[in-house]
């Protein structure tokens, strides 16, 4: 397969929100790339495309799909694949990513990233879909680990092994959302650091960081992946551990709801950038120490 | 795999149902609270899309009434496409048949206007023809002069004063009693990046429809006059110019657009 994906720069990017456009356009921003939800740019023209053209000329771009339903048991939506291909051809983004999730069934789009059981059958089906999408788009895609609230009794494969095998079979890269790991770990009672130790980091080509909130149900506390608040310090600490092990990676601050003023979001990116630089330095120091010994 | 997704999707849209068998948490074999996170996410996403697209309609009936109406629509007509900018095209027709909204007979048409605004916002780009080029074209024969109109143009006709009502509820004008309750025709267009809404002069919608359908100017005027005896050509040409609706002109099939071909 011909791969036209050059990859994102190894810095900190920000999810683009139209309300920030004026502030962003005022001066060059200390942002390595901007990420947009592909589906929001599937109109013909107007302001969304004017914004995207502006960003394209000045920054690296990541397209993040939320509607392909790659984990669906039904065939992929060819019309949607065609829309994605057209958008990718129009803007040549440095990266295209989607989710290990499903969102459509029986012709209905449910507009949420829904979980799937991890079995040999679902693994084979998702791998076929990833392969089909990559062939159709003529580029590799990155697949993101989900934040989940329920599990399936029939699951037989750990999520980390499922993603590793998917990447191996389809050749796709992975997008590691550390907030999703943190949220799922709390919701399912596992240890986030152990999950990350098992995660196939060599396949990771982008990291997502976001905020969540805590709530309760009849079974006790749970976390909701809400993208409406700052990244918590526990997630930043896990991020540093990942970078120390994996080396610097393109990293995105996602903030989709209750969107703050641009300076606050830019400050969030600066915080992540400090962590990225510190962890990269620690890694080098560690490597030098090893070399000297 | 087919079965679990069907059961999951069905239970998502029906709050009466329990989580489907096999959906568990580490603490429960039927985690209703956990499952309802997904149910809530879906409803919030769908109703949120409608709230964002129909803010004036929402203001007219209030947040609570609108939320109930949006939930009823989302449950009966969930999206068919992952492109959410088109979700709600069928909402105005739903409002029309939504019994509790019958006391607000103009609501559906205001919603039609709002739906048209989103379509115009995302419509294809096209550069409006320069004013002097248009004036120049108008000096030639009206029998052979055809216009290419901007692709963003939407026309919404109502037996209620929908432009006035929309403007009041979109924060464009002060909310005030409407003394003269007359039907209005709305023109929605996006000549550059901003969507514009205008109240059209009498007969203009038919005139613009005829032009958009490819009728030469003289024929479009004849159509408009037949439908609206008081049709005022001068006033309509002012709208055509002022709203920058024309992106190209042709004569008897010969291209003479803004690209520079002479007329």
């Amino acid at each position: 397969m011909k791969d036209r994906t050059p990859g994102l720069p190894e810095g900190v990017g920000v999810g683009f929100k139209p309300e920030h456009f004026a502030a962003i356009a005022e001066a060059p921003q200390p942002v390595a790339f901007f990420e947009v939800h592909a589906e929001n740019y599937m109109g013909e023209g107007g302001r969304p495309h004017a914004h995207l053209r502006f960003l394209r000329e000045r920054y690296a771009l990541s397209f993040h799909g939320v509607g392909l339903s790659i984990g669906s048991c039904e065939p992929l939506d060819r019309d949607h694949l065609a829309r994605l291909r057209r958008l990718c051809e129009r803007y040549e983004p440095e990266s295209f990513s989607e989710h290990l999730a499903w969102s459509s069934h029986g012709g209905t789009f449910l507009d949420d990233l829904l979980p799937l059981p991890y079995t040999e059958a679902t693994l084979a089906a998702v791998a076929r879909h990833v392969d089909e999408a990559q062939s159709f788009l003529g580029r590799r895609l990155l697949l993101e680990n989900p934040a989940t609230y329920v599990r399936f009794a029939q699951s037989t494969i750990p999520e980390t092994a499922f993603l590793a095998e998917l990447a191996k079979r389809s050749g796709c890269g992975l997008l590691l959302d550390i907030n999703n790991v943190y949220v799922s770990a709390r919701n399912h009672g596992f240890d986030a650091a152990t999950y990350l130790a098992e995660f196939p980091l060599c396949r990771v080509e982008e990291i997502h960081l976001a905020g969540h909130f805590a709530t309760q149900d009849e079974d006790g506390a749970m976390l909701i992946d809400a993208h409406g608040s700052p990244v918590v310090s526990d997630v930043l600490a896990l991020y540093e551990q990942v970078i120390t092990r994996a080396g610097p990676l393109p990293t995105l601050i996602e903030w989709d709801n209750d969107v703050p003023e641009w300076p606050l979001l830019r400050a969030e990116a600066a915080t992540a950038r400090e962590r990225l630089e510190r962890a990269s330095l620690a890694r080098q120091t560690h490597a030098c120490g090893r070399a000297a010994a | 795999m087919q079965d679990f997704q069907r059961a999951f999707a069905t239970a998502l849209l029906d709050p009466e149902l329990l989580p489907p068998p096999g959906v568990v948490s580490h603490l429960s074999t039927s985690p209703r609270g956990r499952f309802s996170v997904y149910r809530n996410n879906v409803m919030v996403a769908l109703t949120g899309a409608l709230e964002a697209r129909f803010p004036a309609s929402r203001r007219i009936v209030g947040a609570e009434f609108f939320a109930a109406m949006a939930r009823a629509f989302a449950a009966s007509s969930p999206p068919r496409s992952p492109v959410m900018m088109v979700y709600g095209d069928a909402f105005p027709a739903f409002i029309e048949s939504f019994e509790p909204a019958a006391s607000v007979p103009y609501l559906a048409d205001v919603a039609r206007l709002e739906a048209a605004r989103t379509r115009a916002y995302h419509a294809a780009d096209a550069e409006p023809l320069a004013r002097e080029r248009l004036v120049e074209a108008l000096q030639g024969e009206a029998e052979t002069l055809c216009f290419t109109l901007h692709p963003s143009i939407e026309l919404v006709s109502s037996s209620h004063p929908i432009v006035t009502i929309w403007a009041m509820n979109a924060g464009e004008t002060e909310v005030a009693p409407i003394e003269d309750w007359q039907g209005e025709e709305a023109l929605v267009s996006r000549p550059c990046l901003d969507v514009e809404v205008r109240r059209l002069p009498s007969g203009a919608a038919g005139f613009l429809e005829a032009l958009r359908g490819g009728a030469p100017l003289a024929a479009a005027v004849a159509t408009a006059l037949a439908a609206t005896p008081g049709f005022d050509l001068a006033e309509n040409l002012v709208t055509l110019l002022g709203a920058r609706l024309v992106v190209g002109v042709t004569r008897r099939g010969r291209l003479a657009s803004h690209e520079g071909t002479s007329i």
Side-chain angles (χ1 to χ4, degrees), chain B residues 148-186:
Chain B
T148 305
L149 300 190
H150 198 282
S152 67
I153 290 175
E154 297 261 347
L155 300 162
V156 186
S157 296
S158 176
S159 54
H160 303 286
I162 50 162
V163 180
T164 306
I165 296 168
W166 171 80
M168 285 179 184
N169 289 283
E172 303 266 322
T173 57
E174 291 290 312
V175 179
I178 298 172
E179 305 286 347
D180 185 20
W181 194 274
Q182 298 281 342
E184 288 178 352
E185 289 178 343

Side-chain angles (χ1 to χ4, degrees), chain A residues 44 46-47 71 73 109 151 153 187, chain B residues 5 22 24 34 79 122 125 194:
Chain A
E44 288 291 314
R47 183 160 272 126
C73 58
F109 177 61
R151 299 210 280 207
N187 289 344
Chain B
Q5 286 186 355
V24 299
R34 301 292 165 103
H122 291 289
D125 298 321
D194 292 317

Side-chain angles (χ1 to χ4, degrees), chain A residues 44-47 71 73 80 83 102 105 107-112 117 148-149 151-153 187-188 217-219 221, chain B residues 2 4-6 22-24 26-28 32-34 38 41-42 45 79-80 82-83 85 122-125 190 194:
Chain A
E44 288 291 314
R47 183 160 272 126
C73 58
H80 198 58
R83 285 189 286 263
W102 57 286
H105 185 79
T108 292
F109 177 61
L110 296 155
D111 203 9
D112 193 26
T148 57
Y149 309 98
R151 299 210 280 207
F152 293 90
N187 289 344
H188 302 306
D217 74 352
E218 71 276 7
D219 292 329
Chain B
Q2 180 85 37
F4 100 80
Q5 286 186 355
R6 190 186 307 121
V23 170
V24 299
H26 67 298
L27 299 167
S28 164
R32 298 167 72 154
R34 301 292 165 103
Y38 291 107
N41 281 353
V42 171
R80 308 293 296 171
V83 184
M85 65 183 69
H122 291 289
D125 298 321
R190 201 207 74 229
D194 292 317

